[in-house]
Amino acid sequence: MAAVLASSVQQLADTSGESSANNPAVIDAIESTSQHPLFVIRHGSKLHAITVIGVNLTDPQCAYPRVTVTNARGVPLNQQPTIEAALPTRIQLNWPGAAELAPGSYVLHVVPKKKHFLLGCSAQPQALSTLQVMATPQFAVDYTLNAVCRSSDKANATARDVVLGSGELGPISIDQTTAAKTIGMSACADPVRYTLAAKVSYGDGSSSSVGPITQAADANITVGLRGGLSLTWDPSLQQLFARLGANRCLGVH
């Protein structure tokens, strides 16, 4: 998120530069149709429309403003949003192609028109805002589940360590938020306790580890992982679950 914000600020600085005018048009925010703030679009999301919020975005006495979206190099996109409705404080845009944009930075340009006495409507300096498109994040969780087991040999009651399973759960994404795996218990008929360790790998190449964590054989083990992931071992079901929690990052669709 910090990188996205820094990129947005730099994109605005690179694109701005027009002279100021009286009562200029200003974009304060971009929102989804559900009125949530929006500055990052996940590639492949179901976003089809946006709302531009600001001041002096249009003059009711003139035609709709000109709205275009360019990439980071200033090249207009092939598929542009269309205006559904426009008021001085908000413009509703239909943009079916937004979710299919390649990851990167994009600039929204709004060029309003203003009515002048005896001169008609003329174009005003543009207002700018940025949007970022990012690849849908995917996660893969590597796990190792061990058990301490009582020996079935009554003459030798010494407990022994057994590796019940190790491998990968995933990939997990916004669209597929849960992964599960059944762990066979044939190697440990009488467990005393379980130990779980996990490592999650992220789409950007980074990783995060947790554990090993040990619990008694009759208790679940749940570990939290960076990025809203959790990993749970349920001995009663003999299953391992990886879950991606609800997205709490405001401004990401």
Side-chain angles (χ1 to χ4, degrees):
M1 289 304 100
V4 167
L5 288 172
S7 177
S8 296
V9 171
Q10 185 60 49
Q11 191 71 43
L12 285 176
D14 293 342
T15 312
S16 300
E18 295 202 24
S19 60
S20 60
N22 293 330
N23 301 318
V26 177
I27 299 175
D28 293 325
I30 296 177
E31 295 182 349
S32 64
T33 53
S34 56
Q35 297 184 331
H36 290 103
L38 179 67
F39 61 89
V40 175
I41 302 172
R42 291 192 182 95
H43 178 78
S45 71
K46 297 180 180 180
L47 182 71
H48 298 294
I50 62 174
T51 302
V52 181
I53 307 297
V55 294
N56 302 317
L57 298 178
T58 187
D59 188 332
Q61 302 179 81
C62 300
Y64 282 166
R66 178 166 56 89
V67 178
T68 57
V69 180
T70 62
N71 63 18
R73 299 183 302 277
V75 178
L77 304 184
N78 291 330
Q79 186 173 2
Q80 293 287 335
T82 57
I83 298 177
E84 294 292 312
L87 295 171
T89 57
R90 60 193 302 116
I91 301 174
Q92 296 178 10
L93 298 175
N94 183 32
W95 197 10
E100 299 306 319
L101 294 174
S105 301
Y106 297 88
V107 181
L108 178 72
H109 306 251
V110 176
V111 180
K113 293 183 178 181
K114 186 175 181 180
K115 181 71 175 289
H116 298 279
F117 182 64
L118 298 179
L119 298 178
C121 295
S122 61
Q124 301 297 297
Q126 67 177 341
L128 301 171
S129 187
T130 62
L131 278 171
Q132 302 289 324
V133 177
M134 70 178 188
T136 300
Q138 289 190 334
F139 311 91
V141 180
D142 294 307
Y143 68 90
T144 301
L145 180 65
N146 296 340
V148 174
C149 305
R150 294 187 182 91
S151 175
S152 58
D153 183 2
K154 294 184 179 179
N156 182 11
T158 304
R160 58 192 177 91
D161 293 329
V162 175
V163 178
L164 295 179
S166 62
E168 182 180 286
L169 286 174
I172 302 169
S173 68
I174 301 301
D175 298 322
Q176 184 67 38
T177 59
T178 303
K181 190 169 188 178
T182 300
I183 304 295
M185 295 297 297
S186 59
C188 184
D190 190 7
V192 178
R193 56 185 177 271
Y194 297 105
T195 300
L196 179 63
K199 177 182 177 180
V200 58
S201 300
Y202 304 95
D204 62 358
S206 63
S207 62
S208 177
S209 300
V210 65
I213 296 174
T214 301
Q215 288 278 31
D218 59 350
N220 289 7
I221 302 177
T222 298
V223 296
L225 297 160
R226 182 168 59 86
L229 286 165
S230 65
L231 183 65
T232 298
W233 162 242
D234 189 333
S236 64
L237 299 177
Q238 297 182 10
Q239 281 194 321
L240 199 62
F241 299 92
R243 293 186 179 90
L244 180 61
N247 173 39
R248 291 184 172 85
C249 184
L250 297 178
V252 178
H253 191 283

